[in-house]
Each structure stands twice: as structure tokens, then as C-alpha cells.
Amino acid sequence: MTQETLALHFGYEKGDFGTMAVPLYQTSAYDFGNAQTAANRFALKELGPIYTRLNNPTTEIFEKRIAAIEGGEAAVAIASGQAATFFAIANLAEAGDNVILAEKVYGGTTTLITHTLKRFGIKAKVFNSDTADDLEALIDEKTKAIFFESLSNPQIAIPNIEKIVAIANQHNVVTICDNTVATPILFRPFDYGVDVIIHSASKYISGQGLSIGGVVVARNNLNEKLIKNVRYPQFNEPDESYHGLVYADIPLPLFTLRIVLSLIRDIGATIAPFNSWLLIQGLETLSVRVKQHSRNTLEVARFLKSHPKVKNVNYPGLEGDVQHEKAKKYFKDGLTSGLLSFEVEGLEFAKSILDNTKIFSVVANIGDTKSIITHPASTTHMQVPADELEKAGISQGLIRLSIGLESPEDLIADLKQAIG
Ligand SMILES: *Cc1c(COP(=O)(O)O)cnc(C)c1O
């Protein structure tokens, strides 16, 4: 089935009332009915809801749908994109280990992986994701994950995905791809051999800026990479916190299972059922929205490119962009999302453009139906030190646009008057 059909129907059986909309199970707990069922659920002899911190029937439908649309095996939804990144890594690495991170990623990812995880004893190493030429030399026996974004926020850079995956596989290291900006509609990381996908579902999946959410998706048969892999003893040796359970002995997708059983169980960060329900609504229209966002963005990119006060435009979908060939190679119909960035001369001029737009809102978000304008250096990436900013390609004059579903003519007219 196509992604569009899966997004509307997968994983939901209409119940007694034939409800067309997926029901919202707004509950914290579930009646086991009898003592044996309760014991069986806890012992994993019987799969079923236990407590909403661990699972919820509405959330489960969202998880099944996103896994199907990504072409993966299993997914686990979490409170936010940041939590998704944290859990994906915490599932692989512990104190003394290291993670290799792409230079061009979301600011929150940089602070989480290079700074906060350091306080947990997990070290970050940074590689040039445009080329991945320096990647292999960074891998050692303590390397537990390689993390990159399929379309980076805010530079809109496309990594050398094939090379990253090939090197990771040679060394049996798990790859994690943040597919938030591209969405599975434009790019499917699993088709290129990536192991794990994370999303900030708060962006295009939600689609209308309605809720915060995240998800981790595992590829088909990821178990084969985890079982008997000396890098990942946590999947192969008894888990003391679960009375000696050995994950490798369980015939289920282990990556997501372990996130639920040993991380969400203890750390929480559960997604609210209502947010899962909103994300289900978002998924239903993801395909039409993302394609239209991309078409609108291409028109705005062409306008900006022709403007004398604009130094450069970063949009891989744009003819002549340095990444255009990569975009055509990896992305469906060469469409590359609603995100673009452009550079003008200096901080003050950039800020004046933000202040003068009328349709664009000055907001720290992306992927909304309403257009957004952001100055990364002073907001989303403010906590990132100057040298890291420069390496990440974020200058003081860089402006990021998240193009919504307004008409491109109106957006172009607004930018024209704001830039002057
Ligand atoms: C927003 C974002 C995140 C973080 O997600 P939240 O849902 O805000 O926690 C992670 N990665 C990318 C690429 C993002 O744009």
C-alpha cells in the first residue's frame, strides 16, 4: 500500500460503533480483569496495555502508522523530538561510550548530545556530514551510534547518506537519522539502509503547530544488527532491572521494546494520548501538505535568489543550488520540504526583515501550515558557541523560513516589502 493509504487506515480496526475517527483513549490505566492476566502482561507473556506511561491504544495506532509510512518494523512515540533523540541514544550508549554526530544538525540536538550527554559520561565526536570523509577515522570500539539529519535544520544540508551507512555497517555501528524536516513523504532513510529514524512529530507530522511529540522508528530486522553484536551487550546480557531478562531471547523488535521497558519505564517522558491523537490527524494529510509546502518554497526560493540584497539562498530543490544534484538523487521528485534559509548582510538587517514581515510570524518552530521566519543565531542556536555556529554554517545574517500553505504570491509580496 502507498504511504497515503497507510496514513489513513493502517493499524485501526473499527470497533462496535464503527467510529471513523480513531478513538482517543484518554486513560491512565487498564483493568486487567484478573490476577493472572495482570501477571502475564508484566511478564511479557501476553502483550497488552499496562499503564499509560508504558503504552496506550491511541498512541499505539500512531506508532503503527508512522512505522508503516517509514517502511520500518516498529515505532515508539515519546513526549517530544528531544526525548526521541535522547532515548534512541540512551538505548545504545552509556558512560564511557561515544556517539558520532553530524556537524549540521538542529541546535537542540547539538546541545543535548555534545553537552548534556557529556554530563552522563557519553562523549560526542563531530563529523562533516556533507562528505563523511572524516567519519571512519572517528570510530572506535566505544562508538555506539552515528547521528545525522536527512535534511538539516536550519542549513537544509543533505548528508552523504550512502557513505555514512556503508561505513557504519562495516563497523557494526547503529545509524540514527533525524527525518523531521524531510518526512517519509520526501525521503525514506530505511530505503538507504539506515537503522533507526527519529522525528520531532511537533513539526510536519503535527502539521498545524498543535502539539509536541516525538517518535523513534526501527528498521525491519534491526535485531540482526543488535544480537551478538559486542558493541551492544545491553541487548545480549541479562538486564538486572528486569529480573535477568535477556532481550536477545525475545522474538520482538528489540530496539523499540527496550526503549519502552527500560527507559520510558524509568524516565517517563511519555506522550499524552491526546497528543498522539492529534498526530494521527496530522499524519492523514502529511503527504498533501509536505508536497505543497515544497512547491511553495521553491517559488519563494526562486524569488529570493533573484533579489539583489540576498547574498545566497540555501534550498536544495532550487535549480543551481550546490546540493541540487543530491536532492534529485535522494528526494522524491526533487522536492525538499518547506524549509529554506537565506543570507543577508549582517545581524541588524536580518532582524529588520523579521520585524517588517506581516504574514510571517517570528516563531521558533517549523512545519506549521502558517509561515514562520526565524533568526537562528540569536534564538534556536543561541546556546551554541560561536565556533560551533560557524562550523554549522550559521552566520549572523542567516534567516530561516518555514514556508506554510499560504499562497506563494502573498508570501513573496510580503518578503519583497520587508527586504526593501
Ligand atoms: C524541533 C526539532 C527537534 C526537537 O523536537 P521537539 O519536538 O521540539 O523536542 C529535533 N530535530 C529537529 C530537526 C527539529 O527540527
Side-chain angles (χ1 to χ4, degrees):
M1 259 190 261
T2 64
Q3 293 174 309
E4 287 76 11
T5 311
L6 293 168
L8 290 158
H9 298 286
F10 192 73
Y12 172 53
E13 299 282 338
K14 293 187 202 79
D16 293 345
F17 301 109
T19 48
M20 288 295 284
V22 171
L24 165 59
Y25 289 96
Q26 185 65 45
T27 182
S28 356
Y30 309 86
D31 187 350
F32 300 120
N34 58 64
Q36 194 52 48
T37 303
N40 288 346
R41 295 232 179 127
F42 274 84
L44 305 177
K45 286 187 185 139
E46 189 182 295
L47 295 176
I50 294 176
Y51 181 59
T52 286
R53 171 150 41 78
L54 299 172
N55 45 18
N56 172 277
T58 304
T59 298
E60 224 167 78
I61 292 169
F62 171 63
E63 292 169 338
K64 283 185 179 157
R65 284 196 183 165
I66 185 72
I69 296 166
E70 281 286 15
E73 189 167 58
V76 53
I78 308 182
S80 68
Q82 285 300 100
T85 301
F86 174 77
F87 284 117
I89 290 175
N91 203 22
L92 297 167
E94 58 182 35
D97 292 337
N98 65 72
V99 170
I100 307 183
L101 172 68
E103 206 161 71
K104 293 180 178 170
V105 287
Y106 176 66
T109 304
T110 301
T111 51
L112 168 61
I113 298 183
T114 62
H115 302 288
T116 299
L117 288 182
K118 188 162 77 183
R119 297 199 276 126
F120 289 76
I122 299 168
K123 204 178 134 198
K125 302 180 185 183
V126 176
F127 79 105
N128 177 332
S129 42
D130 292 346
T131 63
D133 285 345
D134 54 353
L135 176 61
E136 189 155 28
L138 296 172
I139 297 176
D140 61 30
E141 75 278 8
K142 290 287 183 190
T143 301
K144 299 299 166 89
I146 297 169
F147 189 103
F148 61 97
E149 291 177 8
S150 47
L151 259 188
S152 77
N153 174 6
Q155 309 86 349
I156 348 279
I158 303 171
N160 190 346
I161 297 160
E162 283 168 331
K163 187 163 178 179
I164 296 170
V165 169
I167 292 170
N169 286 344
Q170 263 165 30
H171 295 269
N172 261 321
V173 179
V174 169
T175 45
I176 306 172
C177 175
D178 180 339
N179 205 29
T180 299
V181 178
T183 83
I185 303 303
L186 303 180
F187 177 70
R188 295 216 310 180
F190 293 147
D191 294 346
Y192 289 86
V194 165
D195 297 316
V196 173
I197 294 169
I198 71 107
H199 279 279
S200 165
S202 326
K203 314 294 170 52
Y204 288 108
I205 291 176
S206 160
Q208 293 174 277
L210 298 177
S211 63
I212 300 289
V215 64
V216 179
V217 194
R219 75 160 159 90
N220 283 315
N221 212 9
L222 177 56
N223 286 7
E224 74 189 353
K225 196 170 194 174
L226 302 173
I227 294 174
K228 298 199 171 81
N229 185 337
V230 290
R231 281 188 198 276
Y232 305 112
Q234 64 270 48
F235 291 95
N236 296 288
E237 292 170 4
D239 180 351
E240 280 171 35
S241 80
Y242 219 102
H243 55 70
L245 176 90
V246 177
Y247 283 92
D249 295 340
I250 307 172
L252 290 171
L254 300 180
F255 193 84
T256 46
L257 183 74
R258 188 170 181 275
I259 287 182
V260 175
L261 294 188
S262 92
L263 291 167
I264 296 181
R265 176 196 65 184
D266 297 342
I267 300 169
T270 305
I271 190 165
F274 182 54
N275 283 0
S276 297
W277 186 83
L278 288 170
L279 298 174
I280 289 170
Q281 316 313 311
L283 275 185
E284 290 194 352
T285 57
L286 182 67
S287 175
V288 276
R289 280 188 287 105
V290 168
K291 288 175 192 161
Q292 192 59 42
H293 277 292
S294 304
R295 292 187 206 107
N296 290 358
T297 309
L298 183 58
E299 287 194 40
V300 173
R302 284 182 182 144
F303 158 74
L304 289 170
K305 176 97 178 169
S306 71
H307 199 290
K309 289 185 189 164
V310 173
K311 291 186 356 193
N312 66 293
V313 179
N314 305 307
Y315 189 63
L318 184 66
E319 310 79 10
D321 188 274
V322 288
Q323 303 190 89
H324 192 56
E325 288 310 309
K326 260 190 193 170
K328 284 197 294 191
K329 173 176 169 181
Y330 288 119
F331 285 76
K332 192 174 199 168
D333 303 326
L335 297 174
T336 55
S337 91
L339 217 58
L340 77 77
S341 63
F342 67 101
E343 217 177 328
V344 294
E345 191 55 52
L347 174 69
E348 290 313 314
F349 185 40
K351 279 184 156 170
S352 78
I353 295 171
L354 266 74
D355 290 340
N356 290 334
T357 54
K358 295 189 169 68
I359 299 175
F360 286 84
S361 306
V362 180
V363 168
N365 192 16
I366 59 166
D368 199 321
T369 40
K370 289 138 250 166
S371 289
I372 288 168
I373 187 164
T374 311
H375 183 248
S378 65
T379 58
T380 53
H381 288 66
M382 188 207 70
Q383 287 107 327
V384 180
D387 58 326
E388 283 178 33
L389 263 190
E390 203 185 288
K391 267 201 218 151
I394 298 163
S395 72
Q396 294 297 320
L398 187 80
I399 293 173
R400 183 187 71 192
L401 300 180
S402 169
I403 299 295
L405 298 180
E406 301 92 344
S407 78
E409 302 96 88
D410 290 338
L411 297 175
I412 289 169
D414 193 25
L415 287 167
K416 204 179 233 171
Q417 63 80 26
I419 298 170

